[in-house]
Amino acid sequence: KAGVTQTPRYLIKTRGQQVTLSCSPISGHRSVSWYQQTPGQGLQFLFEYFSETQRNKGNFPGRFSGRQFSNSRSEMNVSTLELGDSALYLCASSWGGGDTEAFFGQGTRLTVV
Amino acid sequence: DAKTTQPTSMDCAEGRAANLPCNHSTISGNEYVYWYRQIHSQGPQCIIHGLKNNETNEMASLIITEDRKSSTLILPHATLRDTAVYYCIVRVAGTGRRALTFGSGTRLQVQP
């Protein structure tokens, strides 16, 4: 079956702009989590959605937001981009019940100039 | 979730076994040990996980000590494609906690 799909793969934006990233989870998975990876901070949890509701949130400013649709697809939005938002943004999906492994997409590489 | 400690980097000769240690001395009874691997610029991939018994699959073996305070990931015959960062993660079981806490991981370099 198809894996986790993230679009776009690469993105260049200017400071102050906003950006929306998309994640399509594995079919049947209801949980989608987002992570930010930078060389300095490593992999950090942003938020998790389950059945269209945000279930967990990491320690990121309000400029980072997300949502999940009824088909489990998720989007994350970053407003008023800063240079420090340049990172690899990873989406992970899991079916959401019990203790199951998370399946990651290839990520979206965001560069803010 | 319990904190984990891993060596920053390790080298291994191609064809040899790679043994990657992880310390999780504060692990609690309902926490699983997960190993994820991240090949350069790709998303992490779960290799193996376990609760208390040793586990083996087609990719690796996981040895968990009896007191569960440490574990070892074993790649029995390392190849160049195993060069990656390996993350040991301890995570509570059950619903409601989906966040994975990634540490710095171990950068494994497989040498030809």
Side-chain angles (χ1 to χ4, degrees), chain A residues 9 31 33 35 37 43 45 48 55-56 88 90 94 96-107 109, chain B residues 32 34 36 38 41-47 49 87 91-103:
Chain A
R9 289 293 312 278
S31 170
S33 299
Y35 293 81
Q37 186 171 29
L43 267 159
F45 171 73
E48 183 235 351
R55 190 159 67 170
N56 284 295
L88 179 67
L90 291 157
S94 63
D99 188 74
T100 59
E101 72 177 85
F103 295 83
F104 283 81
Q106 296 283 57
R109 172 76 62 185
Chain B
Y32 284 74
Y34 282 78
Y36 278 78
Q38 186 176 26
S41 293
Q42 296 183 21
Q45 173 195 21
C46 183
I47 303 173
H49 68 279
Y87 297 96
R91 184 182 181 197
V92 68
T95 60
R97 285 294 306 272
R98 309 316 304 167
L100 294 167
T101 303
F102 288 86

Side-chain angles (χ1 to χ4, degrees), chain A residues 41-89:
Chain A
Q41 299 298 318
L43 267 159
Q44 293 185 289
F45 171 73
L46 279 156
F47 30 65
E48 183 235 351
Y49 287 86
F50 178 78
S51 293
E52 301 178 65
T53 301
Q54 188 180 86
R55 190 159 67 170
N56 284 295
K57 189 177 190 306
N59 188 26
F60 278 83
R63 300 185 297 108
F64 292 82
S65 63
R67 60 178 174 168
Q68 187 179 34
F69 302 96
S70 58
N71 62 358
S72 294
R73 190 177 70 85
S74 177
E75 290 181 344
M76 69 162 281
N77 183 277
V78 187
S79 62
T80 319
L81 283 165
E82 301 176 359
L83 295 179
D85 297 332
S86 295
L88 179 67
Y89 289 89

Side-chain angles (χ1 to χ4, degrees), chain B residues 18-55:
Chain B
N19 297 291
L20 287 77
C22 178
N23 182 286
H24 32 79
S25 58
T26 60
I27 193 170
S28 61
N30 64 345
E31 288 179 315
Y32 284 74
V33 179
Y34 282 78
W35 282 85
Y36 278 78
R37 134 167 112 184
Q38 186 176 26
I39 295 170
H40 182 62
S41 293
Q42 296 183 21
Q45 173 195 21
C46 183
I47 303 173
I48 198 166
H49 68 279
L51 183 62
K52 61 175 83 172
N53 298 320
N54 298 337
E55 302 287 344

